[in-house]
Amino acid sequence: MKNIEPHIEIVVAVSQNGVIGREGDMPWRLSADLKRFKALTIGKPVIMGRKTFESIGKALPNRLNIVITRDADWHADDVMRVGSIGAAVYLALAHLESAEPDPDDLEAPLPDEICIIGGGQIYAQAINMAHTLYVTHVLAEIDGDTHFPEIDENLWLEVSSEDVPKSDKDSVETRFVIYERKSAE
């Protein structure tokens, strides 16, 4: 075991009124956000709830897919099922610690990030253990039934922000923001 200190990242798109989903799906179309999501998560373990997995419909390629569900009989191809956020992080950490370097690029760093990708209940459980929030702020109020926890400015520091103009492939304007957890002083 390499004894990795995992860096837990939350990756989310959230509207101005806190909505992240509606009826098991995303209530917007955001091409740039999907590209950002792929770039942030590729090669890393991703942790999600069963409903999020089912809205995606299949395992995300080139990532260890870990699905949290209390249904011990649930299974899907190319995913690992666990019963809690703690078990998911433990499994992701074991995966990172057993990773081998790329034989074609031995200088490339091994990943030490674990990505939490939804949904609402999983985000609520994971936000207190996260180190970084990668938030796509959807610049509109959207109707929905699934929400992201409030980002407490006493705990989180905005370290980067980029406005993303609406393209013909997007249903709304967005802003990409990175938040880092403030250190206890």
Side-chain angles (χ1 to χ4, degrees):
M1 292 287 232
K2 297 179 186 90
N3 237 355
I4 293 174
E5 180 67 35
H7 189 89
I8 298 175
E9 306 171 341
I10 287 179
V11 183
V12 64
V14 60
S15 71
Q16 291 174 321
N17 55 330
V19 167
I20 60 171
R22 178 175 54 226
E23 298 175 4
D25 205 355
M26 290 186 291
W28 45 67
R29 188 175 31 79
L30 301 172
S31 176
D33 177 60
L34 292 175
K35 288 178 185 151
R36 180 181 191 233
F37 175 87
K38 182 177 181 180
L40 289 170
T41 62
I42 201 84
K44 302 174 186 175
V46 292
I47 296 172
M48 68 195 95
R50 178 191 51 81
K51 291 177 187 175
T52 296
F53 175 80
E54 290 175 352
S55 74
I56 296 168
K58 63 180 181 176
L60 295 169
N62 302 315
R63 288 155 269 207
L64 173 67
N65 287 249
I66 303 170
V67 175
I68 301 169
T69 179
R70 290 184 285 272
D71 181 353
D73 295 328
W74 183 90
H75 69 279
D77 292 339
D78 301 319
V79 303
M80 306 288 293
R81 187 207 64 80
V82 295
S84 69
I85 188 78
V89 170
Y90 182 83
L91 182 59
L93 180 57
H95 174 76
L96 291 174
E97 288 180 341
S98 67
E100 296 291 331
D102 180 349
D104 296 326
D105 187 4
L106 295 175
E107 298 298 315
L110 292 171
D112 64 352
E113 297 99 358
I114 298 169
C115 298
I116 311 291
I117 63 168
Q121 291 178 18
I122 303 304
Y123 287 137
Q125 294 173 45
I127 196 163
N128 290 329
M129 62 177 71
H131 300 93
T132 305
L133 307 177
Y134 290 97
V135 180
T136 297
H137 285 285
V138 176
L139 303 181
E141 296 212 0
I142 306 287
D143 290 331
D145 53 23
T146 309
H147 295 82
F148 190 74
E150 181 180 346
I151 299 172
D152 184 342
E153 63 184 40
N154 294 314
L155 301 175
W156 296 99
L157 177 67
E158 182 179 316
V159 296
S160 172
S161 176
E162 175 189 354
D163 289 330
V164 181
K166 179 181 167 187
S167 76
D168 59 349
K169 296 180 181 178
D170 301 322
S171 58
V172 67
E173 289 184 42
T174 58
R175 179 179 302 120
F176 294 160
V177 180
I178 301 172
Y179 298 91
E180 295 287 342
R181 181 176 295 282
K182 293 180 179 179
S183 59
E185 299 189 29

